[in-house]
Protein backbone atom coordinates (compact mmCIF):
# COMPACT_ATOMS: atom_id res chain seq x y z
CA UNK A 1 0.00 0.00 0.00
CA UNK A 2 2.84 2.40 0.89
CA UNK A 3 4.50 1.67 -2.45
CA UNK A 4 1.24 2.37 -4.31
CA UNK A 5 0.67 5.64 -2.43
CA UNK A 6 4.22 6.80 -3.13
CA UNK A 7 3.77 5.97 -6.82
CA UNK A 8 0.48 7.90 -6.94
CA UNK A 9 2.21 10.95 -5.47
CA UNK A 10 5.01 10.69 -8.02
CA UNK A 11 2.46 10.33 -10.82
CA UNK A 12 0.52 13.34 -9.57
CA UNK A 13 3.74 15.36 -9.42
CA UNK A 14 4.50 14.53 -13.06
CA UNK A 15 0.96 15.35 -14.19
CA UNK A 16 1.17 18.78 -12.55
CA UNK A 17 3.81 19.71 -15.13
CA UNK A 18 2.07 21.70 -17.92
CA UNK A 19 2.43 19.14 -20.69
CA UNK A 20 0.77 15.97 -21.98
CA UNK A 21 2.41 12.72 -20.90
CA UNK A 22 2.21 9.61 -23.12
CA UNK A 23 1.30 6.55 -21.07
CA UNK A 24 4.48 4.78 -22.18
CA UNK A 25 6.66 7.62 -20.88
CA UNK A 26 4.86 7.67 -17.53
CA UNK A 27 5.28 3.90 -17.26
CA UNK A 28 9.01 4.24 -17.98
CA UNK A 29 9.41 7.06 -15.44
CA UNK A 30 7.66 5.06 -12.71
CA UNK A 31 9.07 1.65 -13.72
CA UNK A 32 5.65 0.06 -14.10
CA UNK A 33 3.47 -1.23 -16.93
CA UNK A 34 1.02 0.77 -19.00
CA UNK A 35 -1.82 -1.16 -17.35
CA UNK A 36 -0.64 0.03 -13.93
CA UNK A 37 -0.57 3.61 -15.16
CA UNK A 38 -4.18 3.32 -16.35
CA UNK A 39 -5.23 1.95 -12.95
CA UNK A 40 -3.35 4.74 -11.12
CA UNK A 41 -5.01 7.38 -13.27
CA UNK A 42 -8.41 5.93 -12.33
CA UNK A 43 -7.43 6.06 -8.63
CA UNK A 44 -6.51 9.74 -9.00
CA UNK A 45 -9.86 10.44 -10.64
CA UNK A 46 -11.66 8.69 -7.79
CA UNK A 47 -9.79 10.98 -5.39
CA UNK A 48 -11.10 14.02 -7.26
CA UNK A 49 -8.18 14.86 -9.55
CA UNK A 50 -9.43 15.69 -13.08
CA UNK A 51 -7.02 13.76 -15.31
CA UNK A 52 -7.77 14.16 -19.02
CA UNK A 53 -6.79 11.45 -21.49
CA UNK A 54 -6.54 11.57 -25.28
CA UNK A 55 -6.23 8.59 -27.60
CA UNK A 56 -3.99 8.03 -30.58
CA UNK A 57 -0.27 8.09 -31.30
CA UNK A 58 0.05 11.64 -29.97
CA UNK A 59 -2.32 11.10 -27.06
CA UNK A 60 -1.58 10.97 -23.38
CA UNK A 61 -2.53 12.23 -19.94
CA UNK A 62 -2.62 15.69 -18.41
CA UNK A 63 -4.05 17.21 -15.25
CA UNK A 64 -6.99 19.44 -16.17
CA UNK A 65 -8.21 22.48 -14.30
CA UNK A 66 -10.64 21.42 -11.60
CA UNK A 67 -13.10 23.04 -9.22
CA UNK A 68 -10.63 22.68 -6.34
CA UNK A 69 -6.88 23.12 -6.40
CA UNK A 70 -5.13 19.82 -5.63
CA UNK A 71 -2.20 19.72 -3.20
CA UNK A 72 0.88 21.15 -4.86
CA UNK A 73 3.73 18.67 -5.15
CA UNK A 74 7.17 20.17 -5.56
CA UNK A 75 10.63 18.67 -5.85
CA UNK A 76 13.27 19.84 -3.38
CA UNK A 77 14.77 22.34 -5.85
CA UNK A 78 11.33 23.61 -6.88
CA UNK A 79 10.31 24.18 -3.26
CA UNK A 80 13.49 26.15 -2.56
CA UNK A 81 13.03 28.20 -5.75
CA UNK A 82 9.41 29.09 -4.90
CA UNK A 83 10.36 30.06 -1.34
CA UNK A 84 13.21 32.30 -2.44
CA UNK A 85 10.97 33.81 -5.13
CA UNK A 86 8.30 34.71 -2.58
CA UNK A 87 10.94 36.20 -0.32
CA UNK A 88 12.20 38.34 -3.21
CA UNK A 89 8.69 39.56 -4.07
CA UNK A 90 8.13 40.48 -0.42
CA UNK A 91 10.95 42.99 -0.83
CA UNK A 92 9.94 43.95 -4.37
CA UNK A 93 8.19 46.80 -6.12
CA UNK A 94 4.68 45.40 -6.52
CA UNK A 95 2.30 47.41 -4.38
CA UNK A 96 0.02 45.33 -2.19
CA UNK A 97 1.96 42.09 -2.70
CA UNK A 98 4.41 42.41 0.20
CA UNK A 99 2.01 41.25 2.92
CA UNK A 100 0.47 38.55 0.70
CA UNK A 101 3.92 37.22 -0.19
CA UNK A 102 4.98 37.14 3.46
CA UNK A 103 1.82 35.20 4.39
CA UNK A 104 2.38 32.68 1.59
CA UNK A 105 6.05 32.40 2.56
CA UNK A 106 5.14 31.65 6.19
CA UNK A 107 2.70 28.91 5.11
CA UNK A 108 5.23 27.32 2.77
CA UNK A 109 8.08 27.38 5.28
CA UNK A 110 5.80 25.74 7.85
CA UNK A 111 5.35 22.62 5.71
CA UNK A 112 8.87 22.40 4.31
CA UNK A 113 10.86 19.38 5.47
CA UNK A 114 13.64 20.25 7.91
CA UNK A 115 16.36 19.66 5.30
CA UNK A 116 14.76 22.17 2.90
CA UNK A 117 13.94 24.68 5.61
CA UNK A 118 17.62 24.76 6.52
CA UNK A 119 18.62 25.33 2.87
CA UNK A 120 16.12 28.18 2.51
CA UNK A 121 17.14 29.89 5.74
CA UNK A 122 20.81 29.58 4.80
CA UNK A 123 20.13 31.26 1.46
CA UNK A 124 18.08 33.99 3.11
CA UNK A 125 20.79 34.64 5.68
CA UNK A 126 23.86 34.66 3.46
CA UNK A 127 22.47 35.74 0.06
CA UNK A 128 22.01 39.49 0.50
CA UNK A 129 20.61 41.70 -2.30
CA UNK A 130 22.26 44.99 -3.15
CA UNK A 131 19.87 47.86 -2.31
CA UNK A 132 18.49 49.81 -5.26
CA UNK A 133 20.31 53.01 -6.22
CA UNK A 134 17.15 54.97 -5.51
CA UNK A 135 13.55 54.48 -4.47
CA UNK A 136 11.67 52.23 -6.86
CA UNK A 137 8.22 53.04 -8.19
CA UNK A 138 5.48 50.80 -6.84
CA UNK A 139 3.38 48.94 -9.39
CA UNK A 140 -0.30 48.30 -8.67
CA UNK A 141 -0.95 44.58 -9.14
CA UNK A 142 -4.51 45.26 -10.35
CA UNK A 143 -3.12 47.48 -13.13
CA UNK A 144 -0.55 44.83 -14.02
CA UNK A 145 -3.31 42.21 -14.22
CA UNK A 146 -5.41 44.38 -16.55
CA UNK A 147 -2.43 44.99 -18.85
CA UNK A 148 -1.33 41.37 -19.19
CA UNK A 149 -4.95 40.27 -19.73
CA UNK A 150 -5.30 42.82 -22.56
CA UNK A 151 -2.05 41.51 -24.07
CA UNK A 152 -3.32 37.95 -23.86
CA UNK A 153 -6.77 38.71 -25.28
CA UNK A 154 -5.47 41.12 -27.99
CA UNK A 155 -7.85 43.87 -26.90
CA UNK A 156 -7.34 47.57 -27.41
CA UNK A 157 -6.80 49.55 -24.26
CA UNK A 158 -7.56 53.15 -23.38
CA UNK A 159 -5.29 54.56 -20.72
CA UNK A 160 -4.30 57.77 -18.98
CA UNK A 161 -0.53 58.22 -18.90
CA UNK A 162 1.76 60.58 -16.99
CA UNK A 163 5.01 61.43 -18.79
CA UNK A 164 8.32 62.09 -17.01
CA UNK A 165 7.29 65.73 -16.49
CA UNK A 166 3.97 64.75 -14.92
CA UNK A 167 1.83 65.83 -17.88
CA UNK A 168 -1.26 63.66 -18.43
CA UNK A 169 -2.21 62.29 -21.85
CA UNK A 170 -4.98 59.97 -23.07
CA UNK A 171 -3.73 57.08 -25.21
CA UNK A 172 -5.34 54.28 -27.19
CA UNK A 173 -2.99 51.33 -27.59
CA UNK A 174 -2.79 47.74 -28.71
CA UNK A 175 -0.84 46.09 -25.87
CA UNK A 176 1.86 43.63 -26.87
CA UNK A 177 4.01 42.67 -23.86
CA UNK A 178 4.68 43.66 -20.26
CA UNK A 179 8.43 43.74 -19.61
CA UNK A 180 10.09 43.67 -16.20
CA UNK A 181 13.48 45.39 -16.11
CA UNK A 182 15.09 45.51 -12.69
CA UNK A 183 12.57 47.06 -10.30
CA UNK A 184 10.42 48.66 -13.00
CA UNK A 185 7.70 47.36 -15.32
CA UNK A 186 7.03 48.59 -18.86
CA UNK A 187 4.16 48.09 -21.28
CA UNK A 188 5.16 47.66 -24.92
CA UNK A 189 2.22 48.65 -27.12
CA UNK A 190 1.28 49.88 -30.57
CA UNK A 191 0.08 53.47 -30.17
CA UNK A 192 -2.97 53.73 -32.44
CA UNK A 193 -2.93 57.53 -32.79
CA UNK A 194 0.84 57.77 -33.39
CA UNK A 195 0.92 54.67 -35.61
CA UNK A 196 4.11 53.40 -33.97
CA UNK A 197 5.48 51.33 -31.11
CA UNK A 198 5.76 52.97 -27.69
CA UNK A 199 6.89 51.99 -24.19
CA UNK A 200 4.98 53.07 -21.07
CA UNK A 201 6.04 52.80 -17.45
CA UNK A 202 3.37 50.74 -15.73
CA UNK A 203 3.49 52.81 -12.53
CA UNK A 204 2.38 55.84 -14.60
CA UNK A 205 -0.55 54.07 -16.28
CA UNK A 206 -4.21 54.31 -15.30
CA UNK A 207 -6.16 51.89 -17.53
CA UNK A 208 -9.73 52.70 -18.53
CA UNK A 209 -12.17 49.84 -18.70
CA UNK A 210 -13.88 48.21 -20.41
CA UNK A 211 -11.28 47.33 -22.99
CA UNK A 212 -11.86 47.95 -26.68
CA UNK A 213 -12.21 45.68 -29.71
CA UNK A 214 -9.79 42.91 -30.58
CA UNK A 215 -6.86 43.60 -32.89
CA UNK A 216 -4.71 41.51 -35.21
CA UNK A 217 -1.48 40.20 -33.63
CA UNK A 218 1.87 41.78 -34.52
CA UNK A 219 5.44 40.60 -34.22
CA UNK A 220 7.37 42.06 -31.30
CA UNK A 221 9.22 45.29 -32.16
CA UNK A 222 12.85 44.60 -33.12
CA UNK A 223 11.97 40.91 -32.87
CA UNK A 224 12.11 40.97 -29.07
CA UNK A 225 10.12 43.15 -26.67
CA UNK A 226 12.73 43.03 -23.89
CA UNK A 227 15.51 44.17 -26.24
CA UNK A 228 13.26 46.94 -27.54
CA UNK A 229 12.53 48.20 -24.02
CA UNK A 230 16.16 48.14 -22.89
CA UNK A 231 17.20 50.17 -25.93
CA UNK A 232 14.36 52.69 -25.76
CA UNK A 233 14.50 53.27 -22.03
CA UNK A 234 18.27 53.72 -22.02
CA UNK A 235 18.25 56.11 -24.98
CA UNK A 236 15.52 58.21 -23.40
CA UNK A 237 17.72 58.74 -20.33
CA UNK A 238 20.88 59.70 -22.27
CA UNK A 239 22.10 63.27 -21.77
CA UNK A 240 24.96 62.78 -24.24
CA UNK A 241 24.83 60.95 -27.58
CA UNK A 242 27.50 60.09 -30.12
CA UNK A 243 27.86 58.30 -33.45
CA UNK A 244 31.25 56.62 -33.47
CA UNK A 245 33.02 54.88 -36.35
CA UNK A 246 34.53 51.67 -34.98
CA UNK A 247 37.32 49.93 -36.91
CA UNK A 248 35.97 46.42 -36.46
CA UNK A 249 33.24 44.24 -38.01
CA UNK A 250 29.75 44.97 -36.73
CA UNK A 251 29.39 41.41 -35.39
CA UNK A 252 32.45 41.81 -33.16
CA UNK A 253 31.19 45.11 -31.75
CA UNK A 254 27.74 43.62 -31.10
CA UNK A 255 29.37 40.87 -29.05
CA UNK A 256 30.80 43.51 -26.70
CA UNK A 257 27.72 45.63 -26.05
CA UNK A 258 24.10 45.15 -25.10
CA UNK A 259 21.07 47.07 -26.40
CA UNK A 260 21.19 49.38 -23.38
CA UNK A 261 24.55 50.74 -24.61
CA UNK A 262 23.69 51.43 -28.23
CA UNK A 263 22.99 50.15 -31.72
CA UNK A 264 25.45 49.06 -34.42
CA UNK A 265 25.20 49.60 -38.18
CA UNK A 266 27.75 47.99 -40.54
CA UNK A 267 29.61 50.23 -43.01
CA UNK A 268 31.68 47.53 -44.69
CA UNK A 269 33.33 44.24 -43.73
CA UNK A 270 35.80 45.95 -41.37
CA UNK A 271 34.04 49.03 -39.98
CA UNK A 272 30.72 49.97 -38.44
CA UNK A 273 28.92 52.87 -36.78
CA UNK A 274 28.01 52.71 -33.10
CA UNK A 275 25.11 54.95 -32.07
CA UNK A 276 25.56 55.24 -28.33
CA UNK A 277 25.07 57.50 -25.36
CA UNK A 278 25.10 57.87 -21.60
CA UNK A 279 24.02 60.21 -18.86
CA UNK A 280 27.60 61.46 -18.37
CA UNK A 281 30.69 61.95 -20.54
CA UNK A 282 32.73 59.76 -18.18
CA UNK A 283 30.32 56.83 -18.63
CA UNK A 284 30.32 57.31 -22.39
CA UNK A 285 34.12 57.30 -22.42
CA UNK A 286 34.14 54.05 -20.42
CA UNK A 287 31.77 52.40 -22.93
CA UNK A 288 34.05 53.39 -25.81
CA UNK A 289 37.19 52.29 -24.00
CA UNK A 290 35.73 48.83 -23.42
CA UNK A 291 35.10 48.20 -27.13
CA UNK A 292 38.59 46.77 -27.54
CA UNK A 293 38.95 48.37 -31.00
CA UNK A 294 40.12 51.66 -32.49
CA UNK A 295 37.40 54.21 -33.10
CA UNK A 296 36.92 57.73 -34.49
CA UNK A 297 34.90 60.38 -32.64
CA UNK A 298 34.11 63.66 -34.38
CA UNK A 299 31.14 64.88 -32.38
CA UNK A 300 29.74 66.04 -30.09
CA UNK A 301 32.55 68.55 -29.40
CA UNK A 302 32.29 68.13 -25.63
CA UNK A 303 32.95 64.38 -25.96
CA UNK A 304 35.99 65.00 -28.19
CA UNK A 305 37.37 67.46 -25.63
CA UNK A 306 36.68 65.03 -22.79
CA UNK A 307 38.47 62.15 -24.53
CA UNK A 308 41.48 64.37 -25.21
CA UNK A 309 41.59 65.35 -21.54
CA UNK A 310 41.42 61.68 -20.51
CA UNK A 311 44.13 60.74 -23.06
CA UNK A 312 46.43 63.40 -21.60
CA UNK A 313 45.72 62.21 -18.06
CA UNK A 314 46.43 58.60 -18.96
CA UNK A 315 49.61 59.64 -20.75
CA UNK A 316 50.86 61.50 -17.68
CA UNK A 317 50.07 58.50 -15.49
CA UNK A 318 52.47 56.29 -17.49
CA UNK A 319 55.50 58.57 -17.75
CA UNK A 320 58.81 56.73 -17.39
CA UNK A 321 60.14 56.93 -13.87
CA UNK A 322 63.01 59.39 -13.49
CA UNK A 323 66.34 57.72 -12.73
CA UNK A 324 67.34 57.89 -9.11
CA UNK A 325 70.41 59.94 -8.23
CA UNK A 326 73.35 57.90 -7.00
Amino acid sequence: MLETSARLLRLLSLLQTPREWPGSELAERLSVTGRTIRKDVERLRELGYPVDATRGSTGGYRLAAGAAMPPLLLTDDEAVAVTIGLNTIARGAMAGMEETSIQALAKLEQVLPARLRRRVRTLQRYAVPVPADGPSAKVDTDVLTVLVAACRDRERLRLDYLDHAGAATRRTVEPQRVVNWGRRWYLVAWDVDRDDWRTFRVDRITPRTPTGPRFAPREDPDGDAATYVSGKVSAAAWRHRARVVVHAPAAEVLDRINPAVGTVEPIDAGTCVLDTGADSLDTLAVHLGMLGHDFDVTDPPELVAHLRMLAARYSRSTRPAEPRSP
Side-chain angles (χ1 to χ4, degrees), residues 76-127:
D76 285 6
D77 288 342
E78 289 170 347
V80 172
V82 169
T83 306
I84 296 301
L86 285 170
N87 191 55
T88 302
I89 293 173
R91 299 191 303 260
M94 296 181 68
M97 290 298 289
E98 296 89 344
E99 184 177 353
T100 303
S101 300
I102 291 171
Q103 291 171 351
L105 182 62
K107 291 179 181 178
L108 184 57
E109 287 188 339
Q110 187 177 5
V111 298
L112 284 177
R115 67 181 188 280
L116 296 186
R117 195 180 304 118
R118 186 171 183 273
R119 283 177 60 184
V120 168
R121 289 177 179 173
T122 300
L123 281 169
Q124 291 173 343
R125 181 177 179 182
Y126 294 102

Side-chain angles (χ1 to χ4, degrees), residues 107-173:
K107 291 179 181 178
L108 184 57
E109 287 188 339
Q110 187 177 5
V111 298
L112 284 177
R115 67 181 188 280
L116 296 186
R117 195 180 304 118
R118 186 171 183 273
R119 283 177 60 184
V120 168
R121 289 177 179 173
T122 300
L123 281 169
Q124 291 173 343
R125 181 177 179 182
Y126 294 102
V128 182
V130 175
D133 294 336
S136 60
K138 295 289 185 179
V139 174
D140 190 308
T141 52
D142 290 337
V143 171
L144 202 59
T145 301
V146 169
L147 297 182
V148 296
C151 292
R152 177 198 63 201
D153 299 334
R154 304 284 182 188
E155 293 178 341
R156 281 192 178 183
L157 191 64
R158 295 174 300 122
L159 54 90
D160 294 326
Y161 187 68
L162 297 177
D163 63 18
H164 65 281
T169 58
R170 179 72 52 81
R171 317 292 277 268
T172 301
V173 301

